[in-house]
Amino acid sequence: MEQLIKGISDWSEVWALLIPLAILCLKKKQPAFNKPVVIYLWTALAINVTIDVIWKLKTIIPRPFNTNNYLYNVHSVIRLLLFSSFFIKLNQQFLSKTKRIVPYIFLGFVLVNFSFYQNFFDYGQLSSRLLSFEAVIMMFYCMQYYLFKITDDEEPGKKQPEFWIVTGLGIYYTINFFIFLLYNELTIRLHNFAISLWNIHNFTYTILCVFIAKGLYETNE
C-alpha cells in the first residue's frame, strides 16, 4: 500500500489549487454564490497539503497515523457539501427543494455507510463507494443546471462565472465516476494500473481548477 499512497500523493492537486487561488488575489470580491467555492479552495488546499505531508513523513509517523486515506473521505464530504451550497445559492427555480434535500441524503448515506459497512479511517483503502456516490450527486447538480438554462430559454453564456465552474465540475466528475467506482477493485487486481489511472484523476482535477479560476475571473464583482 505504500506504493499506492505514493502514486496518489504527488503534490499535483496542491499545485492545481494554486491556479484559482492566484486568481482570487486579483478578484478578491466574489458574488455570494461563489463564496462556498472560495471556502472549498482554501479547505482543499489545507487537506491536500496534509495528505502529501503525511506521505512524505510516512516512515517517521507511527502506524496507524501514517495513512492519508481518511483525508480523501474528509475531502469528499466537504467538497460535496460546499458545492451543494454553491448550486443552491445560484437560486435557480428548478428542482429547488430536491437540491436542498440532497445534502441531507448524502450525510445520511455517509452515516449509514461508515457506521455499518466501511471504516472511515480505513488504513489501506479509499472509499470507492463514497467517492462514486459523491460523483453521482454532483453530476445531477450539473445536469439540472443545464436543464434549467434550456427550459428557461437562457443559453449558458461563457461570460457567466457559474457556467465555467459547473462545466469544470461536469468534466471532472463524468470522467472520474468509473475511476472512483472501480478503484478499490483495481488496486487489488491491477495494482500498477490503478496507480497510473489516478494520474487521469489528477489531470482532470487540474482542469477543474482551471475552470474554477476562469469562473472566478469572469465575475463582475
Side-chain angles (χ1 to χ4, degrees), residues 17 20-21 23-24 30-45 75 78-90 138 161-166 168-169 205 208-217:
L17 286 162
L21 288 172
I23 297 299
L24 275 177
Q30 294 291 324
F33 60 79
N34 272 351
K35 293 301 172 64
V37 179
V38 174
I39 295 172
Y40 166 74
L41 292 173
W42 288 110
T43 305
L45 181 67
H75 190 182
I78 291 175
R79 182 167 55 196
L80 187 283
L81 295 179
L82 286 174
F83 279 110
S84 292
S85 178
F86 162 74
F87 280 102
I88 292 170
K89 284 180 178 292
L90 290 178
M138 292 307 301
E162 76 277 5
F163 166 81
W164 294 101
I165 296 172
V166 174
L169 289 169
Y205 192 79
L208 168 61
C209 288
V210 169
F211 273 76
I212 291 176
K214 177 67 173 175
L216 296 176
Y217 183 78

Side-chain angles (χ1 to χ4, degrees), residues 127-172:
S127 176
S128 288
R129 190 177 297 164
L130 172 65
L131 292 170
S132 56
F133 189 56
E134 175 201 353
V136 169
I137 292 176
M138 292 307 301
M139 286 189 291
F140 157 75
Y141 276 128
C142 293
M143 182 175 63
Q144 64 80 36
Y145 169 85
Y146 290 111
L147 286 175
F148 172 78
K149 293 294 185 181
I150 294 171
T151 57
D152 200 43
D153 293 328
E154 182 181 353
E155 183 180 354
K158 295 180 181 179
K159 284 294 183 180
Q160 297 173 328
E162 76 277 5
F163 166 81
W164 294 101
I165 296 172
V166 174
T167 301
L169 289 169
I171 293 171
Y172 173 75

Side-chain angles (χ1 to χ4, degrees), residues 50-58 61 66-68 71:
T50 306
I51 285 172
D52 291 323
V53 168
I54 289 175
W55 168 65
K56 290 293 185 181
L57 301 179
K58 181 176 175 63
I61 302 173
N66 62 354
T67 179
N68 54 23
L71 289 171

Side-chain angles (χ1 to χ4, degrees), residues 8-213:
I8 63 178
S9 303
D10 59 1
W11 300 96
S12 62
E13 294 186 30
V14 172
W15 291 114
L17 286 162
L18 293 180
I19 300 171
L21 288 172
I23 297 299
L24 275 177
C25 293
L26 300 174
K27 307 280 285 189
K28 293 181 180 179
K29 191 175 181 181
Q30 294 291 324
F33 60 79
N34 272 351
K35 293 301 172 64
V37 179
V38 174
I39 295 172
Y40 166 74
L41 292 173
W42 288 110
T43 305
L45 181 67
I47 291 173
N48 280 289
V49 167
T50 306
I51 285 172
D52 291 323
V53 168
I54 289 175
W55 168 65
K56 290 293 185 181
L57 301 179
K58 181 176 175 63
T59 58
I60 300 175
I61 302 173
R63 189 184 178 101
F65 304 106
N66 62 354
T67 179
N68 54 23
N69 287 325
Y70 72 93
L71 289 171
Y72 287 91
N73 295 336
V74 173
H75 190 182
S76 175
V77 173
I78 291 175
R79 182 167 55 196
L80 187 283
L81 295 179
L82 286 174
F83 279 110
S84 292
S85 178
F86 162 74
F87 280 102
I88 292 170
K89 284 180 178 292
L90 290 178
N91 289 323
Q92 294 179 325
Q93 299 305 309
F94 181 69
L95 298 176
S96 55
K97 290 184 179 179
T98 302
K99 285 184 285 188
R100 293 181 182 278
I101 293 173
V102 163
Y104 296 100
I105 294 175
F106 177 75
L107 289 175
F109 163 81
V110 171
L111 181 63
V112 171
N113 183 60
F114 290 109
S115 295
F116 300 101
Y117 300 104
Q118 292 184 314
N119 180 5
F120 191 87
F121 298 95
D122 193 306
Y123 184 86
Q125 287 188 326
L126 304 178
S127 176
S128 288
R129 190 177 297 164
L130 172 65
L131 292 170
S132 56
F133 189 56
E134 175 201 353
V136 169
I137 292 176
M138 292 307 301
M139 286 189 291
F140 157 75
Y141 276 128
C142 293
M143 182 175 63
Q144 64 80 36
Y145 169 85
Y146 290 111
L147 286 175
F148 172 78
K149 293 294 185 181
I150 294 171
T151 57
D152 200 43
D153 293 328
E154 182 181 353
E155 183 180 354
K158 295 180 181 179
K159 284 294 183 180
Q160 297 173 328
E162 76 277 5
F163 166 81
W164 294 101
I165 296 172
V166 174
T167 301
L169 289 169
I171 293 171
Y172 173 75
Y173 283 104
T174 299
I175 293 176
N176 284 289
F177 170 70
F178 287 105
I179 295 177
F180 292 154
L181 184 65
L182 302 173
Y183 198 72
N184 282 347
E185 284 296 317
L186 290 173
T187 59
I188 297 171
R189 302 175 185 276
L190 299 167
H191 187 76
N192 291 330
F193 176 70
I195 295 173
S196 299
L197 195 62
W198 199 258
N199 290 327
I200 298 176
H201 166 272
N202 292 341
F203 177 71
T204 55
Y205 192 79
T206 300
I207 293 176
L208 168 61
C209 288
V210 169
F211 273 76
I212 291 176

